[in-house]
Amino acid sequence: MNPSNILIAIAAGAASALLFAGLVFQSGSAITLALVAPIPIFIASLGWGSLAGFVAAVVSAGIVAAISGLVTGGVLLFAAMSLPAAIAGHLAGLARPVVEDHPSVPVERPNGPGAQQPSLLWFPVERILFALAAMAALACIGLGWYFDYDVAALQPEIVETLRQSGNAGEMGDAEFEAVASLLLSLIPLVQPAVLTLVLCLGLYIAAWITRMSARLPRPKDDLPSALHLPPVALFVFAAGLAASFLSGPVEQIALVACGAFGMAFTLVGLGQLHLRTRGRSNRWLLLFVSYAAIMILSFPLFVFTCLGIFDTIKRMRPASPA
C-alpha cells in the first residue's frame, strides 16, 4: 500500500472515531453521529482497497480507546462497525474474470479502451447482505458476552431509570418491572436488527459517494433485482426462531439471529417493492405510503419481512422447464 493510501486510511479511521466518540462520552447528538461512523471505513475500503479499509478499522478503534481512556469504547466500535465495514468493503471489491459468458451470470462488459479486458464476475449482492447480517449477529453476541449482558442484573437499573422518569407517579412497582422486562427482552432482537440496517445503509451511501468520485471499480448494481438472500439465511432464521422458545443464553443468541436476519429479509422485501412497482404510474405514491406506514406504525415491517422470506423460498424452487 502506497503512502497516499495509508494517509487516506488513517484519515478515514480518524473520521470514524470522531463520529463514534460522542457515544462514548454520552453527548446529546451521539447516537445520530455514531450511526454514520462506518461510512468513512466503507469509503476507504471501496475506493482505496481492502488493506486501507482494515487499517482504517484498526485506527478508528485505537483512537476511540486513546481519547476516551476506555478500551471498551474501542472494542465496541471495532466489533460492531469498523471490522464489519472493512470486511464488507473487501467483499464488495472481489471479482474474478469470466472465461465464458453465461446468460444467468451478472457480469461487467467493458466498453471503449478497456474492451480488451475480460468480463468480471463481481461478488454477489446477496452474499454481501448475508455477510452483513451474520457479522451484525456475531458482533452483538460477542459484545453481549464481553460486557456481560444479564437480564436479571440489568432489570433493577432499568426499573430505577423508569421511576425517575416523568410518569413515575402513574405506575406501580409491578408495572415498572413489567415494562423493564419487556424492554430487556427486546434488546437482543432490536439491537442486531438496527446494526444490520446501519451497516447496509452505510455501505449503500459509501458506494454512492465513492462512485461519484470515480474511485469505485465495481459497476453499479441494480439493487431491486439483485437484493436477495441465499437459502442458508432461511435456515439460520428458522433455527433462531425455533431456539427462541428455549430459555437462558440460547434464547438470547437465537433472538439475536432472528433480529439480524429478520432485518435482512425485510430489506429483501423492500427491494421487491421497488422492483414490482417499476413502470407503474402510481409508483412514487406506493413507495411513499409504504415507507410512511413503516415510520409511523412499524408493523408493516413484518409484511416486508414475510415478502423477503417468500422471495427466498421461491428462489429455492427448481426452475420449471421451458
Side-chain angles (χ1 to χ4, degrees), residues 162 228 265:
L162 292 173
H228 304 287
F265 280 116

Side-chain angles (χ1 to χ4, degrees), residues 7 19 84 92 107 119 148 155 158 201 208 215 233 270 279:
L7 292 177
L19 290 169
V107 298
S119 300
D148 194 19
Q155 184 163 350
I158 301 297
L201 288 179
W208 178 77
R215 293 287 310 185
L270 290 172

Side-chain angles (χ1 to χ4, degrees), residues 233-303:
L234 187 62
F235 293 107
V236 172
F237 183 75
L241 192 62
S244 65
F245 291 97
L246 302 176
S247 59
V250 175
E251 177 191 10
Q252 306 300 321
I253 294 174
L255 289 174
V256 169
C258 288
F261 284 93
M263 178 55 69
F265 280 116
T266 303
L267 294 175
V268 173
L270 290 172
Q272 288 297 301
L273 172 67
H274 283 258
L275 182 63
R276 297 184 183 191
T277 55
R278 279 180 173 173
R280 295 193 178 186
S281 58
N282 59 347
R283 168 183 169 84
W284 293 109
L285 177 61
L286 291 172
L287 294 177
F288 174 79
V289 171
S290 299
Y291 282 103
I294 290 173
M295 296 295 294
I296 297 172
L297 302 175
S298 298
F299 177 77
L301 279 175
F302 178 73
V303 176

Side-chain angles (χ1 to χ4, degrees), residues 36 93 100 131 157 163 179 203-204 253 265 297 313:
V36 298
E100 295 182 1
E157 299 180 11
R163 283 174 179 166
V179 173
L203 179 58
Y204 176 81
I253 294 174
F265 280 116
L297 302 175
I313 295 174

Side-chain angles (χ1 to χ4, degrees), residues 91-96 121-128 131 218 221:
L91 294 178
L94 292 179
R96 62 179 176 84
L121 174 62
W122 293 86
F123 197 79
V125 172
E126 63 181 54
R127 295 186 185 179
I128 297 175
R218 183 186 180 111
D221 295 285

Side-chain angles (χ1 to χ4, degrees), residues 1-317:
M1 188 167 64
N2 58 53
S4 62
N5 286 8
I6 295 177
L7 292 177
I8 292 293
I10 294 174
S16 178
L18 292 177
L19 290 169
F20 189 80
L23 189 61
V24 178
F25 292 111
Q26 300 180 353
S27 71
S29 59
I31 296 179
T32 303
L33 294 176
L35 293 179
V36 298
I39 293 179
I41 298 174
F42 275 127
I43 293 175
S45 183
L46 292 172
W48 284 265
S50 301
L51 185 56
F54 286 109
V55 170
V58 174
V59 169
S60 65
I63 290 178
V64 167
I67 63 179
S68 65
L70 300 172
V71 177
T72 55
V75 171
L76 178 60
L77 174 60
F78 185 76
M81 295 185 176
S82 298
L83 183 59
I87 294 175
H90 168 72
L91 294 178
L94 292 179
R96 62 179 176 84
V98 178
V99 179
E100 295 182 1
D101 290 343
H102 191 279
S104 63
V105 176
V107 298
E108 175 195 10
R109 292 178 172 82
N111 296 316
Q116 73 279 7
Q117 299 176 0
S119 300
L120 296 178
L121 174 62
W122 293 86
F123 197 79
V125 172
E126 63 181 54
R127 295 186 185 179
I128 297 175
L129 178 58
F130 178 86
L132 287 171
M135 287 188 291
L138 291 174
C140 290
I141 293 171
L143 290 172
W145 169 81
Y146 183 82
F147 291 106
D148 194 19
Y149 177 78
D150 186 2
V151 174
L154 291 174
Q155 184 163 350
E157 299 180 11
I158 301 297
V159 169
E160 184 61 28
T161 302
L162 292 173
R163 283 174 179 166
Q164 295 175 1
S165 64
N167 298 324
E170 303 175 6
M171 299 173 62
D173 291 341
E175 288 80 2
F176 281 127
E177 292 180 1
V179 173
S181 298
L182 177 61
L183 292 176
L184 288 171
S185 65
L186 289 177
I187 288 177
L189 187 66
V190 174
Q191 187 182 41
V194 172
L195 182 56
T196 302
L197 179 62
V198 167
L199 291 173
C200 291
L201 288 179
L203 179 58
Y204 176 81
I205 295 172
W208 178 77
I209 294 174
T210 312
R211 184 177 295 109
M212 292 291 290
S213 62
R215 293 287 310 185
L216 185 64
R218 183 186 180 111
K220 186 176 181 180
D221 295 285
D222 182 25
L223 288 181
S225 61
L227 202 59
H228 304 287
L229 278 170
V232 66
L234 187 62
F235 293 107
V236 172
F237 183 75
L241 192 62
S244 65
F245 291 97
L246 302 176
S247 59
V250 175
E251 177 191 10
Q252 306 300 321
I253 294 174
L255 289 174
V256 169
C258 288
F261 284 93
M263 178 55 69
F265 280 116
T266 303
L267 294 175
V268 173
L270 290 172
Q272 288 297 301
L273 172 67
H274 283 258
L275 182 63
R276 297 184 183 191
T277 55
R278 279 180 173 173
R280 295 193 178 186
S281 58
N282 59 347
R283 168 183 169 84
W284 293 109
L285 177 61
L286 291 172
L287 294 177
F288 174 79
V289 171
S290 299
Y291 282 103
I294 290 173
M295 296 295 294
I296 297 172
L297 302 175
S298 298
F299 177 77
L301 279 175
F302 178 73
V303 176
F304 290 105
T305 304
C306 294
L307 183 58
I309 293 174
F310 173 75
D311 174 76
T312 306
I313 295 174
K314 183 178 66 174
R315 286 167 54 84
M316 291 172 62
R317 299 173 182 172

